[in-house]
Structure formats: structure tokens, C-alpha cells
Amino acid sequence: MLMKESPGTVFPAPARNPSETLHRSLSLWNSLTIGFATVSPVAGLYAIIGVQTVVTGGGWFAALALCLVMQLLVATVYAELSSQIPIAGGAYKWARQLGGATTGTYAGAIYVSSTIAMLTTTAYTGGVWLAIFFGSGGGTGVTLVIWGAVFLLVCTILNLVHVSVFKFLISLGVYAEIVGSFGVALLLFFFFRQHEFPELFAHLGTGTAPSKTAAFLAALAISGWAFIGFDACSTIAEETREPKRMVPRAIFLSLCMVGGVVLFNSAALTLSFNRDTLQQTSAVSDPVTPVIVDNFGAWAETPFLAIVMVAFLACGSSMVQYTSRIVFSMAREGSMPAALSRVTTAGAPRNAVMFTVLLATLGLLFGLNDEAVATVLAFGTGGLYAMFAMTTGVGLYTRLTGRWDPSLGQLKLGSWGVLINTAAFLWSLFEFVNIAWPRPYAVSPDAPWWQLWAVPLVLGSILGVTTLYLLVWRSTRSDALRSPRESTPTEE
């Protein structure tokens, strides 16, 4: 008998068709490394450091630290939910089971669109580094879009090969980040500092931002990119062994590890940079490698670029897996074409992977505008923070109304749970508005209005299309119920 979901249901449906069942092949370490690679200290920091300095002038370290602290509260709510509902799709399934099918449909639409935008952003910035690695770093527009498409092709292949190859690459990416980027940051910090510690908090408001307050808010918005993706651990819960125990740990540990590396690396690089030179950098150029070469010599350039490329490929491949599992979960529930819920004998939802990459490739076309990097970053972060706000909001509402009992999960926060959930919701809502706020000085002084209002326009369109879909679906369903013909319910 088909199991119907209703608000407050906290357990997944019974066993499904084998062709729609993922394989439990991931350990705590595998889940942790996927979360680490998806957040990625290298991809997170190196993608924003140029934009941060151009917009703020400097002094953005405090905004980065504040953003991490608040994101840890969001991660705690996600860990609490995953300890009770560990199922593919993560926040999409939580919204559906706690808030009902309609809430789940809206959550799924926001989640998929925002993670695909996040993947597009990673592909674009990863393509920049790929071009630099192969000696084509001067390209713009079409050239960088092509490099981004090549980057996505490699990530797709890595998602479709045997799972052991994928796990090896992700682990290699984590080692590259810890040993390579963190090791380089240690050497810079202890032996090649050009500035004293007050430099971390100096020059705020000397960039394109009109004031210190505007610079700090912009820095906080841009910093949001560095701490998203930890929820990837929850979307792969059905592939993780002992998920109620392992997934919450992986969510929290991955963000803590990444946060520590990002903060230290940002401090080391800021204290090693010539700020005046950095302010003149383009948002699509590489401001990091020259610092490495100047301090360590020309021999260090190729190994350093190789480390960055491995880290970006691990990040991109994890994001493809992350997003495709949300698509798979929605298709399995009937919110997307059933073909996207098919799983190969190797345990991979191949159709969902191909669908995800196709949409991300189309999203790369936004990169044809050379001045749109800050807007692309907004696409990748705004939707995710909208999803953070929706997830923590649904969690808070159902917690307070008794439709969700967190004490049934393995992670028990007691009375602290309400305080943490409330703070996480308010922060997510604030950061979403902050990211979506139109800032000509962060994009381009002559940017068109639609570029400035990109985040609310895109999300508004997504919500509008979803509403239209629900109205049509309900009308079709109502007509079917009035039909005299009967049908046998599908068994799961």
C-alpha cells in the first residue's frame, strides 16, 4: 500500500523499488570528506578573496568570522533534523514530512535551483583556475564559459565512474586542502608576513563600498559563500552507514574543519598580500598565486595550482552528487519526472546527475558578462540562504506547535534547541536579505537593474512557476478523482 505523508510524519516510507534505492557504501569519513569538499576552504576562500578586497578595501576578516559562528547554529539545526530523518534529499524531505507536500514542493524548487546555481558558480570559478593551470588565464567571456563547461564535464565523469574512484578523489581533495593550502598558509603566516595583525581589521570602507557600514554588510554577504554546502552530508544520508549517528557528526565536523581552515588561510593570505596591488585585481583574475610565487619562488607555481585544481574538482564533484540526490529524491516522490529516480546497478542516479549538470551548464551562460562574477556569487548563495531560512523556519514552527518532537532523534539539545533554532532562523533570514540587497558598487556602477535585483527576481520566478505547477497539478488531480474509472494504488 502506498504510504501517504502528512505533516509531522518523521519516518521515511517502507522499502522502495530496487531501481530507486541507493546503496549504503559511505562511512563517517566518506560523508565527512564529501561535506568538507563541498564547502571547500580553497573553493570558498579563493573564489571570494578578490571580490572581497575590491568591494571592501580590507578589514573583512571579522565579517568572515561572524558568518562562520552563525552558520554553525544553522548546521546544528540540520544535524538535529538529520538525526531523526536521515533520508536522500535532506532539507527537501524534512520540509515535506514536517510541513506537508505543498511545503515540500516549494522547498524542493528552491533547493534544486539554488544548489544548481551554486554548482554553476563553482564551475565558473573552477574554470578560471583550470584555465590558469593550463596557461590560458587571460581569457574572458566565452573563453571562461568554455573552461567552466570542461570543468563540469570532468565532474560528471567522476560522478558516473565506480564509487571507489569518486571516494578516492574526494579524499585526495581533502588531503590537498589540508596539506597543501593549509601548509602554505602556515609558512606564509610564520615566515613571510608583511603586515602586523591589525591589518586584518584595517582599511574597511576603502574599496568600492561607500562607507564602513556598507563595506561590512557587503563583506558579510560575500562571506556567506564560504560556509555553504555542509548540508551535502544530509542529502547523501541514504548512502551513509548508521546515518542517524554519522550524518549529524559529519555535518557539524565538516563545517568546523572548513571554518578553521578558511579563517586561518584568510588571515595568512591577508597578512602576506600587498593590499594596493590586490585592490587593482580583476574579480576573475587570480590574486593568490603571485603571492605564493613571490614568497616561495617560481618553482612553487605549478604544484600550488595543481593543489587548487584538485580541491576545486573535489568540490565540484561533491556538488554534482549533492544536487543530483535532491533531484533523485524529488523524482522518487513524483515531483519530477520518474526517469530521474532511476538508479544504475553501480548505485548512481545517472539520469539525475546528467540533468543536474545540464542545468548547471546552461547557467554558465551568465558568465558571458565579464562583470557578472559578484552576481554569479549571489546566485550561488542567495538561494541557499533562502533554503536555510525555510528549513530552520519550518523546524521552528513545527517544534513550537508540537508537530515535530526533536527528543525522538539521537541528537538531543533540550531547551537549547529552541534558542539555537530561533537564532539560526533569524540569521538565515537576515543573511538572505543581505545577499539579495542590490549593490551597484559590488557588481558594476552601470549594471542593469535586472542584474542588481537578480536574486529576488530569480527566486520570485521560481516560486511563481512552482505555484502555477501546484495549481495545474491540483486541477488535474481533482479531474482524476471525479473520473468514474478506478486505479490500483502503486505499492512501495
Side-chain angles (χ1 to χ4, degrees):
M1 179 70 66
L2 182 65
M3 181 178 178
K4 295 182 179 180
E5 293 179 80
S6 59
T9 304
V10 294
F11 298 103
R16 298 179 182 273
N17 187 317
S19 66
E20 299 179 345
T21 303
L22 299 170
H23 298 176
R24 290 203 185 276
S25 58
L26 303 177
S27 63
L28 172 61
W29 170 250
N30 297 140
S31 182
L32 174 61
T33 54
I34 288 171
F36 186 98
T38 304
V39 186
S40 181
V42 164
L45 180 60
Y46 292 2
I48 66 172
I49 191 168
V51 175
Q52 279 279 33
T53 306
V54 169
V55 173
T56 68
W60 46 271
F61 182 82
L64 195 69
L66 176 60
C67 189
L68 171 60
V69 171
M70 301 311 293
Q71 281 299 93
L72 286 170
L73 298 179
V74 178
T76 302
V77 177
Y78 271 65
E80 190 177 23
L81 282 161
S82 64
S83 76
Q84 193 170 352
I85 315 173
I87 192 167
Y92 156 69
K93 279 297 296 181
W94 302 336
R96 185 181 177 92
Q97 294 194 198
L98 295 176
T102 300
T103 303
T105 301
Y106 279 110
I110 296 172
Y111 208 10
V112 168
S113 60
S114 56
T115 53
I116 287 176
M118 177 179 162
L119 174 58
T120 299
T121 306
T122 302
Y124 185 83
T125 51
V128 171
W129 285 89
L130 192 65
I132 294 170
F133 182 76
F134 286 102
S136 303
T140 56
V142 176
T143 303
L144 292 180
V145 169
I146 292 173
W147 278 110
V150 172
F151 180 89
L152 278 176
L153 177 62
V154 176
C155 293
T156 304
I157 293 171
L158 291 170
N159 267 268
L160 296 179
V161 296
H162 194 274
V163 66
S164 60
V165 178
F166 178 82
K167 289 192 285 188
F168 173 76
L169 172 76
I170 300 303
S171 295
L172 187 64
V174 173
Y175 295 141
E177 299 216 43
I178 293 176
V179 176
S181 69
F182 189 63
V184 167
L186 278 172
L187 292 174
L188 288 174
F189 186 80
F190 287 110
F191 301 107
F192 298 100
R193 285 204 314 270
Q194 296 185 24
H195 311 287
E196 297 301 322
F197 291 108
E199 182 74 12
L200 294 176
F201 309 97
H203 312 295
L204 186 67
T206 59
T208 58
S211 66
K212 284 189 175 182
T213 300
F216 184 81
L217 290 174
L220 203 59
I222 298 169
S223 296
W225 166 257
F227 305 117
I228 55 179
F230 57 86
D231 53 317
C233 300
S234 67
T235 69
I236 59 170
E238 280 188 42
E239 297 164 85
T240 306
R241 304 186 192 104
E242 300 184 70
K244 290 186 179 182
R245 291 180 58 245
M246 300 306 177
V247 173
R249 296 179 185 181
I251 289 173
F252 202 75
L253 288 175
S254 62
L255 183 56
C256 286
M257 289 173 61
V258 167
V261 174
V262 166
L263 287 181
F264 183 77
N265 283 12
S266 65
L269 289 170
T270 300
L271 297 178
S272 303
F273 274 141
N274 181 325
R275 189 186 68 87
D276 294 333
T277 301
L278 183 62
Q279 267 199 297
Q280 298 171 10
T281 188
S282 162
V284 296
S285 65
D286 165 24
V288 180
T289 305
V291 176
I292 304 300
V293 172
D294 289 345
N295 286 292
F296 297 105
W299 66 270
E301 180 174 2
T302 300
F304 176 74
L305 288 175
I307 288 171
V308 173
M309 273 317 306
V310 170
F312 262 95
L313 285 172
C315 177
S317 300
S318 294
M319 285 187 182
V320 170
Q321 187 193 53
Y322 164 36
T323 307
S324 64
R325 271 44 175 188
I326 305 169
V327 171
F328 162 82
S329 182
M330 292 186 68
R332 194 170 61 179
E333 300 293 342
S335 296
M336 281 191 169
L340 299 177
S341 67
R342 298 292 179 262
V343 176
T344 65
T345 54
R350 181 176 57 194
N351 294 344
V353 169
M354 299 299 291
F355 176 80
T356 297
V357 173
L358 174 62
L359 291 183
T361 304
L362 292 175
L364 282 174
L365 297 177
F366 286 107
L368 292 174
N369 182 346
D370 293 338
E371 301 296 328
V373 174
T375 303
V376 174
L377 280 171
F379 276 134
T381 52
L384 258 296
Y385 278 87
M387 192 64 203
F388 291 148
M390 185 172 188
T391 303
T392 55
V394 169
L396 182 62
Y397 174 74
T398 54
R399 184 198 299 265
L400 294 177
T401 57
R403 301 168 81 183
W404 171 40
D405 184 1
S407 65
L408 298 176
Q410 294 212 8
L411 178 60
K412 304 181 192 301
L413 299 178
S415 58
W416 283 101
V418 176
L419 296 176
I420 291 172
N421 200 158
T422 302
F425 169 65
L426 293 175
W427 155 254
S428 299
L429 193 60
F430 162 79
E431 182 70 341
F432 166 69
V433 174
N434 189 34
I435 291 168
W437 198 261
R439 293 183 173 93
Y441 55 84
V443 183
S444 174
D446 57 351
W449 68 270
W450 57 264
Q451 191 172 344
L452 296 175
W453 291 93
V455 175
L457 281 174
V458 171
L459 287 177
S461 299
I462 291 167
L463 293 176
V465 170
T466 304
T467 301
L468 182 62
Y469 163 78
L470 287 171
L471 292 174
V472 172
W473 178 79
R474 282 174 179 168
S475 176
T476 305
R477 186 165 180 259
S478 178
D479 290 341
L481 289 174
R482 286 195 294 266
S483 173
R485 286 183 289 180
E486 296 181 357
S487 60
T488 304
T490 303
E491 291 189 1
E492 291 191 340

